Every structure is written in C-alpha cells, then in structure tokens.
C-alpha cells in the first residue's frame, strides 16, 4: 500500500455500460447494495458482476477524501476518482454519493431514520415525489452545484423516474463539457492506449 497525494487520479469506475431501460430492469432484482452509477441521461455503469475495486468505495458526505468526476474522453463518458486530500495507507476511500442516494433508500425502507437519515430531508423528498406525481416533470434541470468538481446532482426529471426505482450512485453529468485537456482525462486516455 502507498499514500495517495491530493489531486492524484485514483481509479476509474468500471463495469457494464448499460442503457437506462436495462438498469431499470436490473435494479428491481438487486438487493440493498447498489452498484449502478449513472454516467449520463441514457446510460449507467453496473459494477455488480464486473468491475474493479472502486465499486467498494463507500459514501461520506461529511468527510469524503476523494471525488468522482464524469469525464468526456474522446466522446465517451467515463467516471474517474481523484483524491481530495492526501490519503494515507489504510484509510478508507470515501466519496459523496449525493444527497439523493440515501434519501431514496430511506423512502424505500422503514426505519431509515434510525440509519441516520435526517427526517426533514425525508419529508422534503416525499413532498417532491408527491409534486412530481401530480404535475408535469419538466425538462432535465441538471446544473452545476457551484463546485469545480461538477459533482452531478439529482434532477427533477430523475426524481419522477426514481419513484419506481431504487437508488443509484451519482447522476447526470454536464454532458456537453469536454474534459480532454483535464489531467485526469488524459490519465484515463493513457490507460486506454496502453
Ligand atoms: C457501491 S456500494 C459500496 C460498497 C459496499 N459497501 C460493499 O461492501 O459492497 C454502495 C452500497 O454500499 C452501502 N454504503 C455505502 N456507503 C455507506 C454508508 N456511508 N453508510 C451505509 N451504507 C453505505 C450501501 O448499501 C450502498 O448501496
């Protein structure tokens, strides 16, 4: 084991790249753990059967030490993890799944509050779901959360869809952005070329 320096590339989230409809179908058969990671509005990466160690990265909102980033590399969306801080050998790698991930889990499971989900967040989510049930869902309103990391966020459109679905890892990148000059994208490209 070796330390990881801040900003260093950690790895790529790999797995089966499947269309959203297939993900919708699979997710109903999966148990509580979700290894689906949305890469754009039409496809997801499923690392349930095929993947690498990045599938074991757990969630932390308060103290993530790495971050996921959806990169457009030569026209293909790929997910890279990068260190947010210096990481010592033996430290658990944690990234922020996004608020919606565990909120949806909470909606599905009784007793979610006991697992640490804040009750008023749950209430807000339920209200949002009720609104999307009764009204038009509108267009995808994905936007940057103001952070440079461009951590994808749940969209209104996804909320309505997720009423019949289980949780996913982060969703909807800013798909028009090209990151080919990003050092992490360059690293991914080098890995693909070798
Ligand atoms: C991508 S998997 C992460 C690896 C998983 N913990 C495992 O051992 O296979 C995502 C699942 O891990 C669990 N998980 C991740 N972070 C968690 C956390 N902070 N608290 C509780 N469960 C968590 C949830 O069950 C979630 O669906």
């Amino acid at each position: 084991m070796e330390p990881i320096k801040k900003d260093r590339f950690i790895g790529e989230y790999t797995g089966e790249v499947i269309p959203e409809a297939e993900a919708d179908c699979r997710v109903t058969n999966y148990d509580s753990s979700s290894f689906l990671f949305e890469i754009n509005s039409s496809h997801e990466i499923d690392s349930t059967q095929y993947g690498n160690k990045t599938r074991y990265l757990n969630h932390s909102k308060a103290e993530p030490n790495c971050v996921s980033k959806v990169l457009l590399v030569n026209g293909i969306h790929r997910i890279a993890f990068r260190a947010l801080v210096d990481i010592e050998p033996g430290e658990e790698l944690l990234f922020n799944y996004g608020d919606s991930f565990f909120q949806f889990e909470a909606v599905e499971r009784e007793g979610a509050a006991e697992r640490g989900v804040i009750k008023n967040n749950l209430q807000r989510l339920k209200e949002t779901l009720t609104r999307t049930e009764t009204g038009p869902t509108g267009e995808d309103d994905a936007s940057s959360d103001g952070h440079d990391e461009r951590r994808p966020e749940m969209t209104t459109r996804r909320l309505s869809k997720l009423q019949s679905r289980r949780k996913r890892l982060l969703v909807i990148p800013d798909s028009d952005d090209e990151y080919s000059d990003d050092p992490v994208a360059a690293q991914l490209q080098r890995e693909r070329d070798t």
Side-chain angles (χ1 to χ4, degrees):
M1 285 203 282
E2 57 189 68
I4 305 170
K5 284 282 175 204
K6 180 177 184 293
D7 291 330
R8 288 297 302 272
F9 170 73
I10 292 174
E12 178 179 9
Y13 193 88
T14 59
E16 294 174 86
V17 178
I18 55 172
E20 191 183 34
E22 171 67 13
D24 286 346
C25 183
R26 289 186 185 191
V27 79
T28 58
N29 295 318
Y30 290 160
D31 65 11
S32 57
S33 264
S34 176
F35 294 93
L36 287 159
F37 201 138
E38 298 192 9
I39 43 175
N40 57 36
S41 56
S42 61
H43 284 79
E44 307 196 11
I45 293 181
D46 185 0
S47 67
T48 306
Q49 297 291 336
Y50 307 95
N52 60 22
K53 288 176 184 167
T54 62
R55 72 195 284 275
Y56 295 112
L57 266 58
N58 281 329
H59 159 83
S60 173
K61 181 175 180 176
E63 289 187 281
N65 55 12
C66 53
V67 66
S68 65
K69 189 171 178 183
V70 179
L71 304 168
L72 192 58
V73 184
N74 286 346
I76 298 170
H77 283 129
R78 303 172 70 173
I79 299 163
F81 291 99
R82 189 168 60 73
L84 284 173
V85 294
D86 289 346
I87 302 172
E88 295 303 319
E91 271 187 69
E92 183 177 6
L93 297 178
L94 298 163
F95 74 105
N96 189 344
Y97 286 10
D99 289 340
S100 306
F101 187 89
F102 285 102
Q103 287 173 344
F104 276 100
E105 182 175 73
V107 165
E108 288 173 0
R109 293 163 186 250
E110 286 185 10
E114 289 161 28
R115 297 187 54 178
V117 178
I118 300 165
K119 279 182 182 170
N120 61 357
N121 277 357
L122 184 55
Q123 186 55 39
R124 269 211 307 277
L125 179 72
K126 281 178 175 166
E127 285 164 12
T128 308
L129 292 178
T130 308
R131 277 203 301 280
T132 55
E133 261 168 17
T134 53
T137 55
E139 290 303 307
D140 188 336
D141 61 354
S143 63
S144 166
D145 61 3
H147 297 291
D148 287 340
E149 301 303 340
R150 293 171 175 274
R151 183 165 59 74
E153 285 291 346
M154 188 67 73
T155 67
T156 307
R157 191 173 64 80
R158 301 297 294 173
L159 282 174
S160 66
K161 285 193 173 184
L162 280 164
Q163 287 172 77
S164 60
R165 297 163 58 176
R166 294 190 196 171
K167 58 198 179 292
R168 307 293 216 267
L169 298 178
L170 310 173
V171 284
I172 313 292
D174 299 318
S175 57
D176 292 336
D177 291 333
E178 180 74 48
Y179 290 99
S180 54
D181 58 348
D182 184 291
V184 178
Q187 170 78 30
L188 286 175
Q189 185 60 47
R190 276 197 297 279
E191 289 193 352
R192 199 175 73 164
D193 292 344
T194 53

